[in-house]
Amino acid sequence: MRYGEPAPITEDELGAIMATDDLEAKYRGIIRASLHIPGSDLLHLTLVECLAEGAVNAEAWVLAEAALTASSHVARLGHMTRPDVFLELVSHLLDHPKISGHAEVIRDDIRIFCR
């Protein structure tokens, strides 16, 4: 994957992407939304769903990782409305075999930027 500036995205586009089976499109859609519509209720719901799924399904780690990165963006931009919910979900990923280190960093970001 080459670096490119994530293009703007609307809630409608995010919803359509998340309804597909295209894992790469979902990953990119989550990241794009976190940068361009960080206050979106749909984005927050999507992040919660991806984090929760990643906590119970080891195969869902790719989307959980995207949700972790996006959660950091949302927290840093000051748009996280329920940091307590995100902290709880992230805490369930602290023992994940592939993304536990990333979960620790995001937990710290939420604690720092959502006081």
Side-chain angles (χ1 to χ4, degrees):
M1 181 183 338
R2 289 187 304 153
Y3 174 78
E5 188 67 32
I9 188 171
T10 66
E11 281 191 339
D12 289 341
E13 289 174 298
L14 177 62
I17 289 169
M18 296 310 292
T20 71
D21 292 329
D22 186 339
L23 190 61
E24 185 174 341
K26 287 180 177 183
Y27 190 103
R28 289 178 186 270
I30 290 168
I31 300 302
R32 288 171 57 200
S34 72
L35 296 171
H36 296 287
I37 52 172
S40 161
D41 290 338
L42 177 60
L43 171 62
H44 290 206
L45 177 62
T46 300
L47 296 178
V48 166
E49 289 175 351
C50 291
L51 291 170
E53 179 67 18
V56 297
N57 178 358
E59 298 301 314
W61 73 271
V62 172
L63 287 183
E65 183 177 46
L68 285 170
T69 300
S71 296
S72 177
H73 294 161
V74 170
R76 287 169 182 259
L77 293 171
H79 291 282
M80 187 166 283
T81 56
R82 294 292 310 273
D84 55 323
V85 171
F86 282 87
L87 281 172
E88 183 178 337
L89 289 167
V90 169
S91 72
H92 292 292
L93 297 170
L94 294 175
D95 293 325
H96 194 285
K98 294 189 181 202
I99 57 176
S100 61
H102 195 182
E104 287 179 35
V105 171
I106 303 316
R107 179 192 59 193
D108 293 345
D109 282 356
I110 293 170
R111 286 179 174 165
I112 291 166
F113 296 105
C114 295
R115 291 185 177 195

